[in-house]
Amino acid sequence: MRHSASSQMGSRKRLPQKDRWKIIQNMLETRPVVLISDLASQFDVSVETIRRDIDAMAEAELLERSYGGATALNTAHEPAINLRATQQITERQRIASAAATLVRDSQVLMFDSCATCFPLAHRLTIERNDLKVITNSFPIANIMAKNSTFKITVAGGFFKSSEGGNYGSETTEFLHRFVADHCFSSCSSVTVEGPTEVDSDLAAVKRVMFNQSRSNSLLVDHEKFRLPKLELVSSLAMLDHVFTDASPEQAFIDAVDAASARLHVAHSVKN
């Protein structure tokens, strides 16, 4: 008796959870990140099932949740910026909408190279005029150069392709020459201690920009509230504003309040 392709697919035996976990761990030994959508397809289970697997494995400290997937427990690794830019798009647009209210025409802004700030750069390019932008990020520069009233200055240094920007002592020395009205930045993760980064070069650029700006805003989607990465960038006291898309845990809310910073939560709008 013949069976249709759909009936064969429906009768395929699915792997038990413990076997899925073992395969995911093995995959993370040979690649920096696994995506939930890819795992759901590979295991022939729903996205929700894989998300529960990832959440449970993260709670068991077998991996770290990341942008749309998971990474190995590695404090010195982050997916490339072009991959990060494709994740949490809706959430980051809400964050950008809230953060843009701080910016007025003709101000001087600093941006480091972070995918979370891309939507803000797009929004300001449309909605503001005569901004002076100082950045180490080629994607940020390319986005904001579309507004002919903006003046864009890109810091020199050695190019880090995974971040789409320039880094090193030449970069930080250059940035010390300027003072900005506002710095917009993000990070690999943020804790009650402050923003952290996977790389000392990334941390150094952010640190200088914070020091050279009159006001500092950290833009972090909800995925960034997790275990610290390699290096602490600064304390929360260096920040004036923290923008996110969902309410963090109370301990973080208390830490922001103790640092005299302001927490902005850009909640989704329910229909």
Side-chain angles (χ1 to χ4, degrees):
M1 180 178 179
R2 282 189 173 181
H3 297 279
S4 66
S6 59
S7 65
Q8 290 175 352
M9 181 67 72
S11 64
R12 180 193 299 174
K13 186 176 181 179
R14 293 177 179 173
L15 291 173
Q17 183 188 70
K18 65 178 182 179
D19 292 339
R20 294 198 303 270
W21 285 26
K22 184 174 182 180
I23 292 172
I24 291 171
Q25 286 182 284
N26 290 339
M27 291 170 71
L28 286 172
E29 291 178 0
T30 59
R31 66 184 73 177
V33 62
V34 292
L35 298 179
I36 289 173
S37 57
D38 292 344
L39 294 172
S41 177
Q42 177 174 335
F43 294 136
D44 190 32
V45 295
S46 69
V47 166
E48 289 72 22
T49 296
I50 296 299
R51 187 172 287 114
R52 287 193 293 270
D53 281 350
I54 296 298
D55 287 344
M57 292 177 75
E59 289 298 320
E61 297 188 355
L62 298 175
L63 48 71
E64 282 191 31
R65 287 182 289 263
S66 69
Y67 310 99
T71 63
L73 283 175
N74 185 339
T75 62
H77 175 78
E78 185 85 330
I81 197 165
N82 58 345
L83 174 60
R84 304 199 309 264
T86 66
Q87 307 299 324
Q88 310 295 340
I89 294 173
T90 301
E91 292 85 349
R92 291 173 179 177
Q93 287 173 342
R94 297 205 309 269
I95 292 170
S97 179
T101 62
L102 298 180
V103 180
R104 302 186 306 274
D105 290 351
S106 303
Q107 286 189 317
V108 179
L109 308 181
M110 283 189 177
F111 282 88
D112 71 321
S113 196
C114 49
T116 307
C117 287
F118 288 0
L120 175 60
H122 280 291
R123 179 174 285 272
L124 294 178
T125 300
I126 296 169
E127 297 180 352
R128 299 292 184 271
N129 290 303
D130 300 310
L131 296 179
K132 295 178 177 64
V133 179
I134 302 160
T135 185
N136 68 320
S137 169
F138 289 100
I140 292 286
N142 285 330
I143 291 167
M144 303 190 82
K146 293 180 174 65
N147 186 318
S148 61
T149 73
F150 288 3
K151 292 184 178 179
I152 315 294
T153 301
V154 179
F158 71 85
F159 179 67
K160 190 184 288 286
S161 60
S162 62
E163 296 300 321
N166 290 334
Y167 293 89
S169 60
E170 185 177 341
T171 310
T172 54
E173 289 171 10
F174 180 86
L175 292 170
H176 272 117
R177 294 164 48 188
F178 300 91
V179 174
D181 295 302
H182 210 116
C183 171
F184 292 97
S185 183
S186 188
C187 59
S188 295
S189 73
V190 63
T191 72
V192 295
E193 300 297 324
T196 69
E197 268 301 346
V198 297
D199 182 294
S200 292
D201 288 321
L202 275 65
V205 166
K206 295 174 191 294
R207 201 173 290 127
V208 172
M209 287 188 172
F210 288 168
N211 286 329
Q212 298 301 113
S213 299
R214 296 189 178 95
S215 181
N216 296 312
S217 287
L218 189 73
L219 280 56
V220 285
D221 62 63
H222 64 275
E223 293 278 0
K224 293 180 183 288
F225 293 94
R226 52 188 180 181
L227 294 173
K229 292 293 186 175
L230 176 69
E231 184 168 337
L232 181 69
V233 175
S234 73
S235 69
L236 292 176
M238 284 296 296
L239 305 175
D240 298 279
H241 303 272
V242 178
F243 291 88
T244 188
D245 62 289
S247 296
E249 293 182 355
Q250 188 62 45
F252 186 82
I253 296 173
D254 293 342
V256 170
D257 184 60
S260 299
R262 184 178 177 189
L263 179 66
H264 308 257
V265 181
H267 292 290
S268 60
V269 179
K270 294 182 179 180
N271 295 325

